[in-house]
Amino acid sequence: QSVLTQPPSASGTPGQRVTISCSGSSSNIGSATVNWYQQLPGTAPKLLIYTNNQRPSGVPDRFSGSKSGTSASLAISGLQSEDEAAYYCAAWDDSLNGWVFGGGTKLTVL
Amino acid sequence: QLQLVQSGAEVKKPGASVKVSCKASGYTFTDYYMHWVRQAPGQGLEWMGRINPNSGGTNYAQKFQGRVTMTRDTSISTAYMEVSGLRSDDTAVYYCARQLGAPWGQGTLVTVSS
């Protein structure tokens, strides 16, 4: 059972906009910033969004992040086949004194 | 270029220990925390802990306290993560990651089997 809660799966068709949610509590998302990671099959995770809504250099602006209260969301617009991957949220947890991850969301592009 | 290169796959028996290395290049090793994350087969990501390469100070996830040791050798820009008392459920790919941002290592598969 992950500390941060994500839906196990999401799907969309090419060109569509999809959102992935990440629910936490006051000890993590409510008091810390959120990172999002993309993991393509068989590869290491890649940082997609940091500090709630910042994109590292090279990440397309089709990816955006937001945070409100104890929840965060990742939005992907103009969905492409290469976006098919697992997506994870993460945040620092003050109670656990460590980072926590969501369980991951497997995105399927139909 | 920025790079983390991890040691190769390991097969260990239950009760044994394993030590995984992570060699950094392309940046000042002591300027960024090094984190360790593992992923069991078909499962999600699990944060294990981090080390401050400058001071050697560590933070471990509660689950791994007493069983995991993170160290570093600044002379060769390498971080290490050792797990003792291996169990079958420690079978996983172990990643190092600079500041939990970029880059990540390529992963090291540790298989625990009798």
Side-chain angles (χ1 to χ4, degrees):
Chain A
Q1 195 78 352
S2 301
V3 174
L4 304 181
T5 301
Q6 298 180 235
S9 63
S11 63
T13 55
Q16 211 173 18
R17 182 178 188 269
V18 298
T19 60
I20 297 172
S21 63
C22 176
S23 177
S25 68
S26 58
S27 65
N28 42 66
I29 294 178
S31 56
T33 60
V34 178
N35 290 353
W36 288 92
Y37 300 87
Q38 177 192 58
Q39 188 177 31
L40 299 169
T43 69
K46 168 191 167 185
L47 181 65
L48 207 57
I49 297 287
Y50 66 96
T51 316
N52 304 328
N53 55 17
Q54 302 299 300
R55 282 186 309 276
S57 172
V59 173
D61 60 7
R62 302 187 295 105
F63 295 90
S64 62
S66 64
K67 183 186 112 168
S68 178
T70 58
S71 293
S73 291
L74 173 71
I76 310 171
S77 59
L79 199 61
Q80 299 180 5
S81 58
E82 56 260 40
D83 298 333
E84 191 160 286
Y87 294 85
Y88 296 88
C89 57
W92 178 264
D93 190 294
D94 283 334
S95 296
L96 297 174
N97 198 36
W99 281 82
V100 290
F101 281 94
T105 299
K106 174 72 171 68
L107 175 63
T108 301
V109 180
L110 302 169
Chain B
Q1 74 281 22
L2 281 176
Q3 197 173 13
L4 297 176
V5 178
Q6 298 183 220
S7 48
E10 303 262 14
V11 179
K12 296 291 183 181
K13 293 196 182 305
S17 297
V18 68
K19 191 171 186 177
V20 179
S21 68
C22 171
K23 182 170 177 58
S25 60
Y27 72 97
T28 302
F29 177 65
T30 50
D31 282 354
Y32 299 86
Y33 276 88
M34 190 69 77
H35 294 246
W36 290 88
V37 175
R38 76 176 188 180
Q39 186 170 37
Q43 302 301 308
L45 304 174
E46 183 174 32
W47 185 78
M48 300 180 70
R50 65 180 181 180
I51 183 169
N52 179 337
N54 188 43
S55 66
T58 53
N59 293 103
Y60 299 128
Q62 292 175 1
K63 173 179 179 177
F64 297 105
Q65 295 217 9
R67 212 162 65 88
V68 166
T69 305
M70 297 177 186
T71 57
R72 91 292 188 219
D73 184 339
T74 57
S75 69
I76 56 171
S77 299
T78 300
Y80 301 92
M81 191 279 303
E82 183 171 22
V83 183
S84 61
L86 286 167
R87 305 183 293 251
S88 58
D89 61 359
D90 290 317
T91 294
V93 176
Y94 291 76
Y95 294 102
C96 57
R98 187 188 80 155
Q99 205 87 337
L100 260 193
W104 288 55
Q106 81 276 20
T108 297
L109 174 62
V110 175
T111 303
V112 183
S113 173
S114 54

